[in-house]
């Protein structure tokens, strides 16, 4: 689970990778990339977690925070689903950390949050993220054209789903 003390490490990675990730992430105000900005983001995530709307986590390797994984937009009622998002510092990519994080959060979604479904989006060109989702049993179910605005342009995205065993019993 994410903690306010993770703010400086997250800010460092996000700031360092800002240009590398500009293609994939929305524009953010300057304060987003500061330790205080990340502490404020974490406070908001923890508030949403307290309301059952989000499960925010960090990815740790050898005691160092190297990324983030989150289940957001949690819906109950007839849906019992959430939206999966994640990122790993560019210095730690290609080492299996993303796959490990997605595998762990799938167990949390099913066992702790009792979700029936997780969804995710990837830009068409993000083949690495698509491979991670496929590896963990996600299936693509459509393309949304001009769905996401990043780095000065509207981007097409692939929608992904993974059904879990949680949720209300019929």
């Amino acid at each position: 689970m994410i903690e306010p003390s993770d703010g400086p490490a997250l800010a460092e990675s996000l700031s360092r990778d800002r240009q590398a990730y500009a293609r994939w992430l929305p524009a953010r105000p300057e304060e987003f990339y500061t330790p205080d900005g990340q502490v404020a983001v974490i406070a908001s995530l923890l508030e949403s977690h307290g309301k059952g709307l989000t499960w925010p986590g960090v990815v740790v390797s050898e005691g160092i925070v190297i990324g983030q994984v989150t289940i957001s937009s949690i819906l109950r009622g007839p849906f019992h689903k959430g939206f999966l998002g994640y990122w790993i510092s560019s210095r730690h990519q290609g080492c299996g950390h993303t796959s490990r994080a997605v595998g762990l959060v799938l167990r949390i979604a099913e066992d702790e949050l009792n979700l029936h479904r997780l969804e995710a989006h990837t830009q068409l060109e993000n083949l690495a993220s698509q491979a991670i989702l496929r590896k963990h049993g996600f299936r693509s179910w459509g393309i949304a054209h001009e769905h996401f605005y990043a780095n000065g342009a509207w981007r097409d995205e692939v929608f992904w789903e993974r059904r879990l065993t949680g949720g209300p019993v019929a």
Side-chain angles (χ1 to χ4, degrees):
M1 180 79 70
I2 201 167
E3 298 177 359
S5 61
D6 296 323
L10 292 172
E12 179 185 347
S13 289
L14 288 165
S15 181
R16 183 184 56 249
D17 290 339
R18 187 175 186 174
Q19 292 305 315
Y21 288 156
R23 169 75 169 80
W24 311 111
L25 299 174
R28 306 280 192 178
E30 289 299 320
E31 60 267 13
F32 179 83
Y33 297 95
T34 68
D36 287 343
Q38 282 302 297
V39 169
V41 169
I42 292 167
S44 178
L45 287 169
L46 291 173
E47 182 180 339
S48 284
H49 175 68
K51 296 176 182 175
L53 303 173
T54 301
W55 185 93
V58 289
V59 181
V60 177
S61 175
E62 298 178 9
I64 299 169
V65 174
I66 62 167
Q68 199 168 347
V69 61
T70 303
I71 300 172
S72 62
S73 304
I74 295 174
L75 297 175
R76 296 297 178 178
F79 295 105
H80 278 265
K81 70 176 185 174
F83 182 82
L84 174 64
Y86 49 85
W87 63 268
I88 300 293
S89 164
S90 63
R91 292 183 176 174
H92 296 91
Q93 291 179 355
C95 301
H97 299 299
T98 307
S99 184
R100 180 176 50 86
V102 169
L104 289 170
V105 84
L106 278 167
R107 288 202 312 254
I108 289 166
E110 195 162 17
D111 298 341
E112 294 179 27
L113 301 176
N114 195 34
L115 297 179
H116 176 68
R117 175 187 180 98
L118 274 184
E119 297 178 357
H121 302 159
T122 63
Q123 290 181 33
L124 288 176
E125 298 82 5
N126 194 343
L127 302 179
S129 192
Q130 292 172 24
I132 294 290
L133 293 171
R134 276 192 195 95
K135 177 180 178 178
H136 288 282
F138 282 79
R139 296 180 317 163
S140 63
W141 59 273
I143 296 174
H145 300 283
E146 298 183 4
H147 184 252
F148 184 78
Y149 191 80
N151 202 28
W154 285 101
R155 312 290 178 172
D156 295 348
E157 289 196 310
V158 180
F159 284 24
W160 297 86
E161 68 180 352
R162 164 79 192 267
R163 287 180 284 177
L164 308 169
T165 59
V169 178

